[in-house]
Amino acid sequence: MSEARKGPDEADESQYDSGIESLRSLRSLPEPTLAPASGPSERSGPQPWTHPPRTSTEPQKEDADGERADSTYSSSSLTEPLPLLGDPEAKDLTPGSPLPSAGALSPQQLEALTYISEDGDTLVHLAVIHEAPAVLLCCLALLPQEVLDIQNNLYQTALHLAVHLDQPKAVQALVMKGASRVLQDRHGDTALHVACQRQHLACARCLLEEHPEPGRGLSNSVDLQLQNWQGLACLHIATLQRNQPLMELLLQNGADIDAQEGTSGKTALHLAVETQERSLVQFLLQAGARVDARMLNGCTPLHLAAGRGLGSISSTLCEAGADSLLRNVEDETPQDLAENPFTLLPFDDLKISGKPLLCAD
């Protein structure tokens, strides 16, 4: 179930609330009025969109870690007749294709398009949740850009949900229409953080490589150094997931390879050592990671490798020039932490302060 929205005095400055009032200010419409209980309508235009009653027996969809990935409303709530929507059963979503013309919207049509559920989901959220691309394209054509960035009770935007549910075409369509890529959910995750956690490479590509249409989303470029509430940037998450293609994609798009996470100051290279994946360590070293990067306690990646008895990774770091005599705040060197300190100092090399001494002929 979704969490209760924080009160005005409890809201975190870095989090945002959707709120029904914000939509009403966008619509500039009076409070909706109830339709007559019976009898034909006197209006000749489209009628208000009606919602079927909720049933208490319908379960909420949750993923493996308990995150809500569905609304409490049934998918039938998206297939009620609403002129302008086209075929809600359509499965193809092509952002570059012509979108429906906005035309003159009646108050009832705008009321339907700006509907908010008790979970804080707008019609844009619901179109993603229920995989209704025709509804999503209609919303993108008719609604102001600000509506795309409304966050539900879990502070998720429609873009968060599209990534969470691995819908790269929906991600592409939202990005092209200017949906914000920097808004953070209740865990501090942007849509790109979610893509790295879920290892949805295609969605990550859309977030990084697609560009908004002219005049849209100019201030919503991706911040690859932005950390979630656990202090992790996207590169840190991709490293912990041991996903080298994601790591490579992030680095190609400007991620700082030596950025420190916010809790203990580990870089991606420290985290790669902790995964005990030598191939990740080699990849980061080849990509230019600083081999003697320090944590907040002064430990280098070689400290971590030596302390864990990771001989092959320690050798890889030493071959890349790691200093085995650097001291942390506890006045310990990697040699002090190694089970066999001689493994860090091969006898066929002469070293001064941990650096090999090269002799001329």
Side-chain angles (χ1 to χ4, degrees), residues 312-334:
S312 62
I313 292 179
S314 296
S315 298
T316 299
L317 293 168
C318 288
E319 291 170 3
D323 189 342
S324 63
L325 296 178
L326 288 178
R327 297 185 179 275
N328 60 20
V329 295
E330 301 293 334
D331 202 33
E332 297 170 323
T333 68

Side-chain angles (χ1 to χ4, degrees), residues 140-348:
L140 296 181
L142 301 179
L143 292 175
Q145 182 176 336
E146 292 83 356
V147 178
L148 305 183
D149 295 335
I150 290 177
Q151 294 168 284
N152 63 18
N153 294 358
L154 300 181
Y155 299 99
Q156 297 166 319
T157 64
L159 189 59
H160 281 97
L161 293 176
V163 174
H164 184 94
L165 298 173
D166 198 13
Q167 299 178 17
K169 290 186 177 180
V171 172
Q172 183 183 24
L174 286 162
V175 170
M176 290 182 66
K177 287 300 177 181
S180 175
R181 291 172 282 180
V182 298
L183 289 177
Q184 295 168 277
D185 65 14
R186 63 172 181 159
H187 300 299
D189 293 322
T190 66
L192 188 58
H193 283 86
V194 176
C196 293
Q197 290 166 352
R198 299 280 166 182
Q199 303 188 65
H200 294 162
L201 183 60
C203 291
R205 289 190 187 281
C206 292
L207 290 168
L208 290 168
E209 298 175 357
E210 292 297 330
H211 300 285
E213 295 173 349
R216 290 180 178 262
L218 298 180
S219 61
N220 292 332
S221 58
V222 180
D223 182 1
L224 290 173
Q225 280 36 274
L226 186 64
Q227 298 180 353
N228 62 15
W229 306 151
Q230 294 180 313
L232 298 175
C234 292
L235 181 61
H236 301 137
I237 295 173
T239 303
L240 290 172
Q241 294 289 355
R242 307 176 185 183
N243 193 315
Q244 186 170 320
L246 260 177
M247 296 165 64
E248 187 172 1
L249 176 67
L250 293 167
L251 292 172
Q252 288 173 348
N253 284 273
D256 182 0
I257 197 170
D258 293 320
Q260 294 178 292
E261 50 86 22
T263 58
S264 58
K266 294 173 183 173
T267 66
L269 187 57
H270 288 92
L271 297 174
V273 170
E274 291 187 335
T275 66
Q276 302 186 25
E277 291 281 345
R278 186 182 183 186
S279 61
L280 290 184
V281 173
Q282 292 172 326
F283 167 75
L284 288 170
L285 290 171
Q286 292 171 358
R290 190 154 51 95
V291 69
D292 285 329
R294 301 282 196 125
M295 294 170 53
L296 299 181
N297 64 2
C299 285
T300 65
L302 187 56
H303 278 91
L304 301 185
R308 287 165 171 76
L310 306 176
S312 62
I313 292 179
S314 296
S315 298
T316 299
L317 293 168
C318 288
E319 291 170 3
D323 189 342
S324 63
L325 296 178
L326 288 178
R327 297 185 179 275
N328 60 20
V329 295
E330 301 293 334
D331 202 33
E332 297 170 323
T333 68
Q335 292 182 36
D336 297 329
L337 299 175
E339 295 178 0
N340 182 6
F342 295 108
T343 60
L344 304 183
L345 288 173
F347 288 111
D348 57 352

Side-chain angles (χ1 to χ4, degrees), residues 41 43-49 81-84 104-109:
S41 171
R43 292 180 56 87
S44 59
Q47 299 303 306
W49 188 35
L82 176 64
L84 306 170
L105 293 178
S106 69
Q108 288 82 5
Q109 289 171 328

Side-chain angles (χ1 to χ4, degrees), residues 33-51 79-85 104-113:
T33 56
L34 295 176
S38 61
S41 171
E42 296 180 359
R43 292 180 56 87
S44 59
Q47 299 303 306
W49 188 35
T50 58
H51 304 282
T79 58
E80 291 294 316
L82 176 64
L84 306 170
L85 287 186
L105 293 178
S106 69
Q108 288 82 5
Q109 289 171 328
L110 197 54
E111 178 70 25
L113 287 170

